[in-house]
Amino acid sequence: MFPPCRLNERSQAIVTNLHRNIKASPAFQHLTVNLKSELLSSGCMAIEISNQGQPVNLFMFCPDGAGDIGSVAIYGNRLKEHYTTISKSRNIFGLPVTEISMNGGWSDFVDIQIGKY
């Protein structure tokens, strides 16, 4: 049995710094921005943004086989806007995007595959 893959230290630092920058941004000062590092048991980390206790967006950063950020899933509000913006720019938070798709089902989300960074 193979051990579960997790984000390596470099990738964890990227997500932690991103959380710190979002939280410090004036654009987000009226929102709550939390880092969900306890998801590391699943190999992922997440940044959760909420407004007065109501979820706005969840950005889940998941590892590839080497522990780098291999994908980002976005859950919550304005998914079509996120999809359109990221499709045009081909990056998310400065990370290069190789593929992007909208997925539906039990919970709609934007699925983003990350290239080497």
Side-chain angles (χ1 to χ4, degrees), residues 75-89:
Y75 298 88
N77 299 333
R78 297 187 168 170
L79 294 180
K80 288 182 183 177
E81 289 91 338
H82 287 296
Y83 177 86
T84 300
T85 301
I86 296 165
S87 292
K88 288 179 183 176
S89 68

Side-chain angles (χ1 to χ4, degrees), residues 64-80:
D64 63 11
D68 293 326
I69 299 169
S71 65
V72 179
I74 306 172
Y75 298 88
N77 299 333
R78 297 187 168 170
L79 294 180
K80 288 182 183 177

Side-chain angles (χ1 to χ4, degrees), residues 3-114:
C5 187
R6 3 176 347 140
L7 291 173
N8 58 33
E9 286 184 30
R10 176 177 167 236
S11 298
Q12 289 181 41
I14 289 170
V15 176
T16 301
N17 287 335
L18 179 58
H19 166 255
R20 188 176 305 120
N21 291 338
I22 291 171
K23 196 169 183 164
S25 170
F28 293 88
Q29 68 185 13
H30 68 286
L31 301 172
T32 303
V33 182
N34 291 317
L35 180 64
K36 301 285 187 174
S37 58
E38 69 271 8
L39 298 174
L40 280 175
S41 62
S42 67
C44 301
M45 290 177 76
I47 297 174
E48 177 184 64
I49 301 171
S50 60
N51 186 4
Q52 297 180 346
Q54 297 300 311
V56 175
N57 283 118
L58 178 74
F59 296 88
M60 185 173 293
F61 299 83
C62 299
D64 63 11
D68 293 326
I69 299 169
S71 65
V72 179
I74 306 172
Y75 298 88
N77 299 333
R78 297 187 168 170
L79 294 180
K80 288 182 183 177
E81 289 91 338
H82 287 296
Y83 177 86
T84 300
T85 301
I86 296 165
S87 292
K88 288 179 183 176
S89 68
R90 302 307 289 176
N91 77 71
I92 180 169
F93 304 123
L95 299 170
V97 171
T98 59
E99 293 180 45
I100 182 170
S101 61
M102 290 279 294
N103 292 299
W106 189 73
S107 179
D108 294 340
F109 67 100
V110 178
D111 187 23
I112 303 159
Q113 299 303 306
I114 304 299

